[in-house]
Amino acid sequence: MRDHGGNIDGAIARFGGSDWIDLSTGINRVPYPVPTLHPEDWTMLPTHSAKQALLDVAAQTYGTTAPMLAVAGAQAAIQMIPRLAKPGRARVLGPTYNEHAAALRAAGWKVEQVSQFGQLAGADLAVVVNPNNPDGRSYAPADLLALAGQVGRLVVDESFADAQPALSLAAQAGQAGLLVLRSFGKFYGLAGVRLGFVIGCPDDIAALTEMSGPWPVNGAALRIGAAALADKAWAKATVARLQAEVTQADALALAAGWQLVGGCELFRTYETPDAETAQNRLAKARIWSRIFPYSNRWLRLGLPGSPEEWARLTAALEG
């Protein structure tokens, strides 16, 4: 089993209780209000017009005219991309989301995790998560475009970039050798919808479309995604709220003796004296967090979703 956040059932089995606050992921806990769904969203196969309506609004939201494919979460694209070319040498800038390396290895690629941006050059396929999960490192579009010319194919995972549009390479993703991934569920707080996008050159998107089959996204996801991505007022208000709340979270962590490693508007990663002890301390208050197999001091927290949740986190860190 690969290590992930969101394993709240494991927390419940270990510590008991039922009223848990799951802060182990970077999923917005104040989700977009799901619009009214139509019976045909469940009873009919997704139509071409519904798929195109979603792609049109996604293209506007992400600021691109490049070819795009909607998929069942960015994870679906991560699993297909290794099949676009004959396996070779892949380099992943890490530590980062571990599914990139896992999917590449499963497809026969020789995968190396590197810690410095410059070490990606020369790879047949390179992966950069921007901003990175879990440490929040980010990379300028100009530097990424320069790197694209030094590797066979560059995959830029922008799953946490909604609140930082200046980082995005979506507008440039039509060039050969560059693929950009976007996640819907994290920023919009609807991870269970399973919706994401991959943006790239015509040949790559055509190949991925063939792999994904005729109905890669369900009818309800098409309707929900189109409504949410079109709601610019909700997105603007959400970014403002998140930017204020990360400051609040950082202040609580600092008062508890933790130091900020990094993060973005949807999660923060802190250095603690002992990550497992810190996680257990929060778990006693039925707050679940994320620790990592490669660090015994890092702990990641998403942001609470209500005043009551903030009060519980505050009490747990001050107690």
Side-chain angles (χ1 to χ4, degrees):
M1 294 287 292
R2 294 192 281 269
D3 180 69
H4 292 291
N7 54 337
I8 191 67
D9 51 351
I12 294 170
R14 179 179 173 191
F15 295 97
S18 58
D19 57 337
W20 282 78
I21 303 171
D22 188 1
L23 303 185
S24 69
T25 74
I27 298 167
N28 182 2
R29 288 184 64 81
V30 185
Y32 185 80
V34 175
T36 300
L37 297 176
H38 298 186
E40 57 266 29
D41 295 331
W42 305 112
T43 60
M44 295 177 58
L45 289 171
T47 64
H48 175 77
S49 59
K51 289 188 285 186
Q52 192 58 50
L54 173 63
L55 291 176
D56 289 345
V57 71
Q60 183 181 39
T61 298
Y62 299 141
T64 186
T65 59
M68 185 187 310
L69 173 67
V71 291
Q75 179 65 39
I78 290 170
Q79 291 175 217
M80 291 190 294
I81 285 171
R83 296 160 51 195
L84 283 173
K86 182 180 178 181
R89 297 170 303 148
R91 292 177 186 156
V92 178
L93 186 59
T96 194
Y97 182 56
N98 61 34
E99 288 294 332
H100 287 285
L104 286 160
R105 288 193 181 101
W109 288 77
K110 182 179 180 181
V111 182
E112 176 186 5
Q113 179 174 292
V114 299
S115 61
Q116 301 298 319
F117 185 82
Q119 295 173 322
L120 294 166
D124 298 310
L125 185 150
V127 178
V128 178
V129 180
N130 193 38
N132 189 49
N133 169 23
D135 60 14
R137 287 183 295 173
S138 62
Y139 305 92
D143 294 335
L144 289 165
L145 288 173
L147 175 64
Q150 302 173 54
V151 298
R153 177 176 280 109
L154 175 62
V155 178
V156 182
D157 184 343
E158 296 180 353
S159 288
F160 289 100
D162 293 75
Q164 301 184 47
L167 290 181
S168 181
L169 280 183
Q172 290 79 30
Q175 72 179 52
L178 175 62
L179 286 169
V180 171
L181 308 184
R182 298 296 298 233
S183 170
F184 171 80
K186 296 178 178 64
F187 178 74
Y188 290 92
L190 297 170
V193 169
R194 305 310 305 138
L195 179 62
F197 302 90
V198 54
I199 314 168
C201 70
D203 287 348
D204 282 352
I205 297 303
L208 291 169
T209 299
E210 182 69 19
M211 290 182 207
S212 68
W215 305 290
V217 176
N218 68 70
L222 293 174
R223 189 176 301 278
I224 294 168
L229 289 169
D231 196 337
K232 303 300 189 290
W234 185 91
K236 182 177 180 181
T238 296
V239 170
R241 174 182 60 80
L242 293 171
Q243 289 174 341
E245 289 181 348
V246 293
T247 302
Q248 182 179 352
D250 290 347
L252 287 174
L254 181 63
W258 301 352
Q259 299 299 316
L260 179 66
V261 174
C264 65
E265 288 78 2
L266 287 169
F267 64 82
R268 313 302 276 173
T269 297
Y270 301 105
E271 184 168 335
T272 72
D274 181 88
E276 186 173 1
T277 298
Q279 185 182 57
N280 290 343
R281 173 183 175 184
L282 292 171
K284 291 178 181 179
R286 298 178 308 285
I287 298 170
W288 194 230
S289 57
R290 173 77 190 280
I291 60 177
F292 302 92
Y294 49 79
S295 172
N296 60 9
R297 301 185 68 177
W298 283 15
L299 179 142
R300 191 187 69 191
L301 283 177
L303 299 180
S306 68
E308 293 76 17
E309 291 188 359
W310 277 103
R312 277 177 57 182
L313 178 62
T314 300
L317 289 176
E318 290 179 348

